[in-house]
Amino acid sequence: LFDNLNFVRHCFSTRVGGVSKGPFESLNLGATRGDDINNVLTNYKLLSKAVGFNYNNVVFSGQVHGKEIYHATEKDKGKGLFIESDIKNIDGLMTGTPDIVLTTFYADCTPLFFVDTAKKIIAISHSGWKGTVLKIGSHTLDEMQAKYNSELKDTLIGIGPSLCQECFEVDPPVYHEFESAFDNINLFTAKRGEKYYIDLKLLIKQMFLDKGVPENNIEVSGYCTKCMPNLFYSHRYSGQDRGSLAGFIELLAD
């Protein structure tokens, strides 16, 4: 959906093409996972050269599986990678300023990319199961509307690589949290024994549709991070001993 927009640059990383070793092999973008920071910086240089963004302009969010959105400005460039970040307890970033590379991190959770094509506003949100229950995607749209008067009809949304339904297995307590948040959760759930299998990506898409986003404005990635461990880092596949993927989105200057 974003490919024809000449004012946006975006990507979602794989684990391929970097210099990190061991469990971080090879394009680890997580600076706090125990990897050699020089390898992480090299990985950012390699990715930024391939995609075209300036790695000095990345802004990291301090993710906590919540729903809070931070409005990034020029002063935030480099926070999280080159300078200590004061952006705490934040799972989504938005901006209307060019040349700021909004960056969020993943290893199974769902990345949500947003572009207001009329007002030229971008956002990206990290929607894990807790963030999905808190409806961070819907909250991101609310914040874009409050800050920039964004309209749903002008907003394109990309739902990125994350767990497929077969790989998102949960116990009854987690399922009941979804049940409390979504009246239609049964439409996106299969039950086998005591386990529930939720299609997070389609559930999130339906949340956007229910909010009023036109269906043609939403695109859902078919990639599953756990099914493809050679291409992606996956917490459910590898546990804590792994690298991090990242989603990036940037407004381009005129």
Side-chain angles (χ1 to χ4, degrees):
L1 282 176
F2 300 170
D3 285 350
N4 294 325
L5 304 178
N6 60 6
F7 60 91
V8 172
R9 179 183 286 124
H10 72 290
C11 82
F12 187 78
S13 71
T14 69
R15 66 179 299 167
V16 179
V19 299
S20 295
K21 307 297 183 186
F24 308 110
E25 188 179 354
S26 66
L27 192 72
N28 169 45
L29 298 173
T32 59
R33 301 208 59 79
D35 192 5
D36 185 323
I37 190 61
N38 292 316
N39 287 343
V40 177
L41 288 172
T42 298
N43 289 341
Y44 272 90
K45 292 175 183 177
L46 290 167
L47 185 66
S48 64
K49 183 178 180 180
V51 178
F53 65 81
N54 184 342
Y55 64 90
N56 292 290
N57 294 344
V58 295
V59 178
F60 294 178
S61 66
Q63 296 171 194
V64 291
H65 296 275
K67 70 170 188 177
E68 296 309 308
I69 313 300
Y70 179 81
H71 176 238
T73 61
E74 195 79 21
K75 66 179 174 56
D76 296 310
K77 287 181 178 179
K79 286 184 178 178
L81 187 59
F82 296 105
I83 55 178
E84 186 174 351
S85 179
D86 56 358
I87 304 172
K88 308 292 187 183
N89 304 319
I90 295 293
D91 283 84
L93 298 166
M94 68 176 182
T95 193
T97 305
D99 302 323
I100 297 174
V101 186
L102 306 181
T103 309
T104 46
F105 297 95
Y106 304 89
D108 288 336
C109 294
T110 308
L112 305 177
F113 297 80
F114 303 82
V115 179
D116 175 341
T117 60
K119 304 214 169 47
K120 294 188 177 179
I121 307 303
I122 57 170
I124 186 168
S125 293
H126 161 259
S127 188
W129 77 259
K130 292 180 181 178
T132 301
V133 166
L134 292 171
K135 301 183 179 178
I136 185 174
S138 180
H139 188 59
T140 305
L141 292 173
D142 291 341
E143 290 295 303
M144 291 172 69
Q145 184 177 37
K147 181 72 178 179
Y148 296 106
N149 295 315
S150 291
E151 295 187 51
L152 298 179
K153 65 180 179 63
D154 299 321
T155 303
L156 303 182
I157 300 173
I159 300 174
S162 55
L163 294 172
C164 69
Q165 183 171 9
E166 286 300 304
C167 291
F168 186 56
E169 172 194 288
V170 300
D171 293 322
V174 172
Y175 176 73
H176 294 323
E177 291 205 38
F178 278 92
E179 205 172 26
S180 296
F182 297 97
D183 293 337
N184 55 358
I185 185 63
N186 60 303
L187 300 177
F188 304 93
T189 306
K191 187 172 188 286
R192 293 195 288 276
E194 292 301 308
K195 302 292 186 180
Y196 295 85
Y197 298 80
I198 301 173
D199 193 327
L200 275 181
K201 285 186 274 196
L202 287 189
L203 176 64
I204 292 168
K205 178 183 178 181
Q206 188 61 52
M207 177 189 68
F208 289 135
L209 293 175
D210 291 345
K211 193 171 182 65
V213 179
E215 185 161 15
N216 289 340
N217 288 21
I218 307 169
E219 185 172 0
V220 182
S221 169
Y223 286 108
C224 172
T225 45
K226 186 183 176 186
C227 285
M228 308 178 77
N230 292 329
L231 190 61
F232 300 111
Y233 300 111
S234 167
H235 184 78
R236 292 225 172 188
Y237 186 88
S238 303
Q240 288 283 2
D241 211 16
R242 54 159 177 80
S244 281
L245 308 163
F248 302 88
I249 190 165
E250 174 189 22
L251 274 179
L252 304 180
D254 292 333

